[in-house]
Amino acid sequence: MPLLALGGRLTYLGVVLAVTALRLAGCWLVVVARRRRGEFPDAAWVIGVQQIYRAGPTAVKVAQLLSTRLDLLPARVCQALSTLHDDAPPMPVDVARRLAADRLGQPLEALFRAFVPVPEASGSIACVYRAELLDGTVVAVKVRRPGIGATIAADLRLFRFGASMIANTRLMRGLPTHAAVAQLSAAIADQLDFTREAAALTSVADAVDEFAEVRVPRPHPRLADPARTGAGVLVMEFVPGLVRRTPADLGAPVAARAVESSLDAVYKMLFVDGLVHCDLHPGNLYFFPDGSVCVVDAGFVVALPPAAQRAFTEFFFRMGTGNEARCADLVLSTVELPEGFDDAGFRRELGALVRSVTGSRADQFELLDFSVRLFDIQRRFGLYADPQFVFPLLGLLVLEGAIREYHPTADFQGLALPHLMRAMFAPTPR
C-alpha cells in the first residue's frame, strides 16, 4: 500500500479511536450522573464493539480471534468480543463477475451455464457465489475482495506497531504480547491464502471421510488449481440448504445425533490426524433435518506438529483418568518457566482442577468452565502455553459454544474416549 494511503488509513483509525474515547467519556459522565457506575462496563463493551465494526475488516477479524483467546483475556472480555459477526455488503455484480473471470482465466460463459450474481455468503474478505458448470455440476465460487490484501497488510503493520508501543505498559506487562500479535497476524493473513485453504479443505475432508453423516465441500479437481487459488478465487463443491436451524427446528433426537456426529468427527481430526478447525462457530457448522452435518470454511485450520498433537492428546486422556501429576507435567512441558516459579503451588492447584472434573457426569462437565479455570491458574503462576497446545483447546471451546444449546447433556469426555484410545495406543510411526 502506498505511503499516502497508509497515512490515510492511520488517520481514519485515529479518528475512530478518538470517537471511541469521546463516547466512552460521555458514557462515564452519564452513569456517574445517574449514580449507576456499575452499568459502565457493559455499556463500554457495547460502544467498543460498535467502534470495532467502524474500524474495518481487520479489526473485526482480530476481535473475533481474540474472542477465543481465553488463555490471554478474561472470559468477560472474550464473551463481549464473540458478538462480532463477519458480515459485509456484497460486491457490486459487475465487480464480482469481472474478478471471477479474470482470476479463473476465462470468460464466465466459457465455464458456466449460470453464475448467480447474488452471493450465498458475504464476508469482509470474500463473497461466495453459486454457479453451474457446463456439465451441470453446481459449484460454489469464493471470490476474494479487490484490494483487501493490501488493506489488511497495512492494518496489521499498524496493529503490530501499536502492540509494540503498549507491550511494556503496566496493563500488558507479563503478557506474551509480541507472540500473540504474531499469531493473530498469521491467522488473518492465512485467511487471504486460498491455496492454503484449498489444501486444508482437502485435508479436513479426507480426515472425516469415514463419517457418512459429516460432509466437507471439496475443492473442484480442475478449477481449484494453484494458479487460480493464488489469484484469489476458489471453486468448490456446492452444498445446498446451508441455513441456521434451531434446536426446535430439528427436534431433540435429531439435534443430539448431529452434535454427536460433529464431536465424533472433530475428535478424530484432532486426536488421530492432528488437525484443528479453530473456527467452528455457527456460521461454519450446519445441521440438517436428517441429522447430518456440514463443515465449511477451512481458512483457520491448524495442522499440529506430532509432539504437540501427542502432548494435547495425552493431557485430555490423563485428565479423564485423574492423573493430575502427568497433567501438570504436560502443561509445564509447553511453557517457559518464569524466575521464581512456584512448582509445588502450581501442581497443587492444577491437581485440584483435574480432580474436580474427573468422573464428572456428562451434564456436569463444561469445557468452557474447565478452560477458564485452567488459564486462570496459568496466568496467576506466570505461565503462557505454546499456541500449538492452546489451539486445540480453543478450537474445542468454539465448537462447544456452537453446539451446547442443541444437546446440553452431550458427553464430551465419553465421545472423545474412542479416539483418544486410538491415538494413545496406535503404533508410533518409524
Side-chain angles (χ1 to χ4, degrees), residues 353-368:
L353 173 61
V354 171
R355 288 195 301 275
S356 73
V357 299
T358 301
S360 298
R361 297 198 319 266
D363 59 349
Q364 292 177 323
F365 177 73
E366 290 192 7
L367 187 62
L368 175 60

Side-chain angles (χ1 to χ4, degrees), residues 268-291:
K268 192 268 178 178
M269 282 171 52
L270 171 56
F271 298 125
V272 177
D273 302 293
L275 288 174
V276 187
H277 193 310
C278 300
D279 204 19
L280 280 176
H281 58 74
N284 288 337
L285 181 69
Y286 293 91
F287 297 156
F288 292 87
D290 62 355

